[in-house]
Amino acid sequence: MTASLPPPAASAYRRDLILYLAIAFGVAWLSWAAAIGLGGSVEDQGSPAYQPYVLGAFGPLIGALVIRIRRGRRGEPVPAHAVPTRRAALAWTPPLLLLAAAIVLAGALIAHQAGGPAITAQDARDAVDKTPGLPVFLFGILLTGPLTEEPGWRGTMLPRMRASMGRLRAALVLGVIWSVWHLPLFLVDGSQQQKLGLSSPSGLLFAVSVVPMCLLTVAAYERAGIAASIAVHFASNLTMVLLDVRAPVTMALIIGVQAIAALALLASAPARTPAPAPRAPHPVA
């Protein structure tokens, strides 16, 4: 059971969530609309669409920073359900990173046995060869997703949702919101989503796949904080890119394995005693 908050604290959380979503969606969707309007493939870094395309990914991070500054100025404590990144908890991060990669690999291997495409080293080489080198490739995967999204979706939004929702319900609702946030990318030329196509089975499966991915990152956050959710997000994205996952059967089986693993992790996550609820915000001068 999630204890109900006093009205002032609940109202403060609602305002935070509304402001965060306005920034995360506003920055992303306006930037991606600009990329669509300017034209050109975002695979080409010289394209006029490239910079607004990248800027859009920073929407959740910008929203998180605004909420953090706002909370500090009002003298509010950290949300009760925020999970600090402590040294002892960080021991969970490497195993969770490996688990996230293994889940994608397992789904791809099962899919191959069911008639899906084989896993080849050439796919990984082709993915890396599109960039100036391996370090740039890895940094690009880390930046465009894990580092720009996790401080917002898991680090900012989730703890405030958990104040009035249970762990699983909050993860599911957040997953649906996160999936909707990605939708304009299907119209951005050269993006991974545009290559799948929204009306194709693979495109629809991508939209669905965001929900179990959210469950997995929430499970990681609940154990070790934002560092763990970043690691899980990074490992999942990296493995998907290296394996060039596009076939519907492969995507469907990865979704299934992710969902099973995430639900098991969420069910076994330790119960936490939340800190006292935040005070009502101070009036703005």
Side-chain angles (χ1 to χ4, degrees), residues 9-135:
S11 178
Y13 281 157
R14 280 196 297 271
R15 286 195 294 270
D16 283 349
L17 289 170
I18 291 170
L19 178 59
Y20 168 77
L21 287 172
I23 296 170
F25 274 80
V27 171
W29 284 21
L30 288 174
S31 298
W32 293 335
I36 295 166
L38 290 169
S41 173
V42 295
E43 288 186 302
D44 176 10
Q45 294 188 11
S47 166
Y50 180 76
Q51 290 184 347
Y53 164 70
V54 174
L55 175 61
F58 284 80
L61 179 60
I62 294 170
L65 291 173
V66 169
I67 297 302
R68 174 65 182 86
I69 293 169
R70 181 174 181 267
R71 181 178 66 76
R73 286 180 174 176
R74 296 189 174 200
E76 299 171 1
V78 174
H81 288 82
V83 180
T85 303
R86 296 194 176 100
R87 184 177 299 177
L90 283 175
W92 275 101
T93 300
L96 287 169
L97 184 148
L98 294 174
L99 175 63
I103 286 171
V104 175
L105 181 59
L109 289 171
I110 296 170
H112 177 53
Q113 295 300 315
I119 295 174
T120 67
Q122 188 60 47
D123 289 332
R125 285 194 291 267
D126 290 344
V128 176
D129 287 345
K130 292 178 182 178
T131 66
L134 182 60

Side-chain angles (χ1 to χ4, degrees), residues 127-220:
V128 176
D129 287 345
K130 292 178 182 178
T131 66
L134 182 60
V136 175
F137 169 74
L138 293 175
F139 180 72
I141 297 291
L142 180 63
L143 180 65
T144 55
L147 283 182
T148 56
E149 295 182 31
E150 289 306 314
W153 300 120
R154 257 60 67 183
T156 300
M157 195 167 176
L158 178 65
R160 289 165 173 81
M161 295 176 68
R162 287 280 286 113
S164 58
M165 298 183 189
R167 184 180 286 159
L168 179 58
R169 182 185 172 196
L172 289 170
V173 172
L174 181 55
V176 173
I177 294 171
W178 195 24
S179 179
V180 172
W181 179 80
H182 284 86
L183 291 181
L185 290 171
F186 284 96
L187 303 176
V188 177
D189 186 25
S191 70
Q192 290 296 115
Q193 292 80 3
Q194 187 267 340
K195 292 175 183 177
L196 295 175
L198 181 57
S199 60
S200 71
S202 293
L204 294 174
L205 284 167
F206 172 85
V208 172
S209 74
V210 178
V211 177
M213 180 66 178
C214 184
L215 295 177
L216 197 59
T217 51
V218 167

